[in-house]
Amino acid sequence: MKLYEVLDILAARILVGDDQLEKDIVGGGSADLMQDVLAAAARDAVLLTGVIDEQVIRTAKIAGVAAVVIVRGKTPPQQVIDLARDNDMPLLVTRKSLFTASGRLYMNGLRGLDGSW
């Protein structure tokens, strides 16, 4: 799946990474505990989360996540947006809940990589 498809499926808006919409997304996961993200094989996946602090970007970068989607319409602070830009990490926001966003991606063919998050 391409990042632009994630954007469309989730009716999201892109805060960072509009130049990366052709990026391949190979799987997905949902977590609010960043230690769960680090414990899972998440390379090139999309991370759906309600976390809006800098730790989500730092964790996503370390884990090799392809993009971060903030759920429930939360708007991250400017320093988080700037950190995503500095780390070349696509950052999207959707009004959908974590459950609904995960389900919509799953129903459109995106699967978890190992089922651990």
Side-chain angles (χ1 to χ4, degrees):
M1 178 177 287
K2 299 287 186 180
L3 184 57
Y4 70 81
E5 294 174 285
V6 172
L7 184 73
D8 183 54
I9 291 165
L10 299 181
R13 63 186 167 96
I14 192 156
L15 301 178
V16 174
D18 55 353
D19 60 333
Q20 298 183 55
L21 292 174
E22 290 290 331
K23 184 179 251 187
D24 287 317
I25 305 297
V26 301
S30 305
D32 283 343
L33 291 173
M34 294 301 102
Q35 64 192 25
D36 290 345
V37 175
L38 288 173
R43 185 152 304 282
D44 297 326
V46 62
L47 167 62
L48 288 84
T49 186
V51 177
I52 59 169
D53 63 27
E54 293 179 10
Q55 197 61 32
V56 72
I57 302 301
R58 295 184 199 291
T59 302
K61 190 68 173 178
I62 290 167
V65 167
V68 174
V69 179
I70 306 295
V71 297
R72 297 188 293 276
K74 293 181 173 183
T75 300
Q78 189 61 47
Q79 66 265 24
V80 174
I81 296 168
D82 293 342
L83 185 62
R85 188 172 292 108
D86 291 346
N87 283 278
D88 204 28
M89 176 65 61
L91 181 61
L92 290 70
V93 175
T94 183
R95 297 190 58 76
K96 301 193 179 323
S97 71
L98 186 61
F99 181 81
T100 299
S102 298
R104 288 183 58 91
L105 290 176
Y106 186 87
M107 292 298 294
N108 280 277
L110 194 66
R111 300 295 185 252
L113 296 177
D114 67 358
S116 64
W117 59 278

